[in-house]
mmCIF file of all heavy atoms in Angstrom:
data_model
loop_
_atom_site.group_PDB
_atom_site.id
_atom_site.type_symbol
_atom_site.label_atom_id
_atom_site.label_comp_id
_atom_site.label_asym_id
_atom_site.label_seq_id
_atom_site.Cartn_x
_atom_site.Cartn_y
_atom_site.Cartn_z
ATOM 1 N N PHE A 14 -11.154 -1.881 -40.804
ATOM 2 C CA PHE A 14 -11.769 -0.623 -40.419
ATOM 3 C C PHE A 14 -12.532 -0.769 -39.104
ATOM 4 O O PHE A 14 -12.468 0.094 -38.236
ATOM 5 C CB PHE A 14 -12.721 -0.151 -41.526
ATOM 6 C CG PHE A 14 -13.430 1.137 -41.200
ATOM 7 C CD1 PHE A 14 -12.768 2.343 -41.277
ATOM 8 C CD2 PHE A 14 -14.771 1.121 -40.807
ATOM 9 C CE1 PHE A 14 -13.415 3.528 -40.970
ATOM 10 C CE2 PHE A 14 -15.420 2.297 -40.491
ATOM 11 C CZ PHE A 14 -14.746 3.507 -40.582
ATOM 12 N N GLY A 15 -13.246 -1.886 -38.965
ATOM 13 C CA GLY A 15 -13.990 -2.122 -37.730
ATOM 14 C C GLY A 15 -13.075 -2.224 -36.522
ATOM 15 O O GLY A 15 -13.360 -1.660 -35.460
ATOM 16 N N LEU A 16 -11.944 -2.927 -36.677
ATOM 17 C CA LEU A 16 -10.989 -3.044 -35.583
ATOM 18 C C LEU A 16 -10.401 -1.685 -35.217
ATOM 19 O O LEU A 16 -10.220 -1.356 -34.038
ATOM 20 C CB LEU A 16 -9.860 -4.005 -35.952
ATOM 21 C CG LEU A 16 -10.245 -5.485 -36.066
ATOM 22 C CD1 LEU A 16 -9.065 -6.312 -36.576
ATOM 23 C CD2 LEU A 16 -10.713 -6.018 -34.728
ATOM 24 N N ALA A 17 -10.101 -0.885 -36.237
ATOM 25 C CA ALA A 17 -9.547 0.443 -35.980
ATOM 26 C C ALA A 17 -10.530 1.319 -35.228
ATOM 27 O O ALA A 17 -10.163 2.052 -34.300
ATOM 28 C CB ALA A 17 -9.151 1.102 -37.303
ATOM 29 N N VAL A 18 -11.824 1.250 -35.607
ATOM 30 C CA VAL A 18 -12.844 2.034 -34.919
ATOM 31 C C VAL A 18 -12.977 1.587 -33.466
ATOM 32 O O VAL A 18 -13.051 2.412 -32.544
ATOM 33 C CB VAL A 18 -14.197 1.923 -35.644
ATOM 34 C CG1 VAL A 18 -15.304 2.539 -34.797
ATOM 35 C CG2 VAL A 18 -14.134 2.601 -36.997
ATOM 36 N N CYS A 19 -13.001 0.256 -33.248
ATOM 37 C CA CYS A 19 -13.124 -0.265 -31.881
ATOM 38 C C CYS A 19 -11.946 0.187 -31.018
ATOM 39 O O CYS A 19 -12.119 0.589 -29.862
ATOM 40 C CB CYS A 19 -13.177 -1.800 -31.903
ATOM 41 S SG CYS A 19 -14.710 -2.470 -32.582
ATOM 42 N N LEU A 20 -10.744 0.129 -31.568
ATOM 43 C CA LEU A 20 -9.559 0.542 -30.833
ATOM 44 C C LEU A 20 -9.616 2.014 -30.499
ATOM 45 O O LEU A 20 -9.349 2.422 -29.359
ATOM 46 C CB LEU A 20 -8.305 0.235 -31.651
ATOM 47 C CG LEU A 20 -6.961 0.694 -31.059
ATOM 48 C CD1 LEU A 20 -6.731 0.031 -29.718
ATOM 49 C CD2 LEU A 20 -5.831 0.401 -32.016
ATOM 50 N N ALA A 21 -9.988 2.833 -31.479
ATOM 51 C CA ALA A 21 -10.031 4.284 -31.252
ATOM 52 C C ALA A 21 -11.065 4.653 -30.203
ATOM 53 O O ALA A 21 -10.817 5.472 -29.317
ATOM 54 C CB ALA A 21 -10.325 4.999 -32.565
ATOM 55 N N VAL A 22 -12.252 4.037 -30.291
ATOM 56 C CA VAL A 22 -13.318 4.358 -29.345
ATOM 57 C C VAL A 22 -12.953 3.916 -27.938
ATOM 58 O O VAL A 22 -13.092 4.676 -26.965
ATOM 59 C CB VAL A 22 -14.649 3.701 -29.779
ATOM 60 C CG1 VAL A 22 -15.689 3.846 -28.682
ATOM 61 C CG2 VAL A 22 -15.144 4.340 -31.070
ATOM 62 N N SER A 23 -12.457 2.675 -27.804
ATOM 63 C CA SER A 23 -12.143 2.166 -26.470
ATOM 64 C C SER A 23 -11.008 2.952 -25.837
ATOM 65 O O SER A 23 -11.033 3.242 -24.636
ATOM 66 C CB SER A 23 -11.769 0.678 -26.533
ATOM 67 O OG SER A 23 -10.648 0.493 -27.379
ATOM 68 N N ALA A 24 -10.005 3.319 -26.627
ATOM 69 C CA ALA A 24 -8.901 4.101 -26.083
ATOM 70 C C ALA A 24 -9.348 5.500 -25.713
ATOM 71 O O ALA A 24 -8.970 6.038 -24.673
ATOM 72 C CB ALA A 24 -7.755 4.166 -27.102
ATOM 73 N N SER A 25 -10.183 6.105 -26.552
ATOM 74 C CA SER A 25 -10.627 7.464 -26.258
ATOM 75 C C SER A 25 -11.488 7.505 -25.006
ATOM 76 O O SER A 25 -11.447 8.465 -24.249
ATOM 77 C CB SER A 25 -11.409 8.037 -27.449
ATOM 78 O OG SER A 25 -12.590 7.279 -27.686
ATOM 79 N N LEU A 26 -12.254 6.445 -24.757
ATOM 80 C CA LEU A 26 -13.045 6.404 -23.530
ATOM 81 C C LEU A 26 -12.145 6.449 -22.309
ATOM 82 O O LEU A 26 -12.442 7.099 -21.314
ATOM 83 C CB LEU A 26 -13.914 5.139 -23.501
ATOM 84 C CG LEU A 26 -15.108 5.134 -24.451
ATOM 85 C CD1 LEU A 26 -15.801 3.772 -24.404
ATOM 86 C CD2 LEU A 26 -16.098 6.233 -24.094
ATOM 87 N N ASP A 27 -11.013 5.738 -22.383
ATOM 88 C CA ASP A 27 -10.059 5.776 -21.276
ATOM 89 C C ASP A 27 -9.453 7.161 -21.137
ATOM 90 O O ASP A 27 -9.224 7.645 -20.043
ATOM 91 C CB ASP A 27 -8.942 4.757 -21.514
ATOM 92 C CG ASP A 27 -9.428 3.328 -21.319
ATOM 93 O OD1 ASP A 27 -10.429 3.163 -20.605
ATOM 94 O OD2 ASP A 27 -8.810 2.417 -21.867
ATOM 95 N N LEU A 28 -9.190 7.808 -22.268
ATOM 96 C CA LEU A 28 -8.503 9.089 -22.234
ATOM 97 C C LEU A 28 -9.377 10.212 -21.706
ATOM 98 O O LEU A 28 -8.914 11.107 -21.020
ATOM 99 C CB LEU A 28 -7.999 9.441 -23.639
ATOM 100 C CG LEU A 28 -6.800 8.623 -24.133
ATOM 101 C CD1 LEU A 28 -6.566 8.907 -25.608
ATOM 102 C CD2 LEU A 28 -5.555 8.975 -23.349
#
Side-chain angles (χ1 to χ4, degrees):
F14 179 76
L16 291 174
V18 170
C19 290
L20 176 60
V22 171
S23 59
S25 63
L26 287 175
D27 287 337
L28 287 170

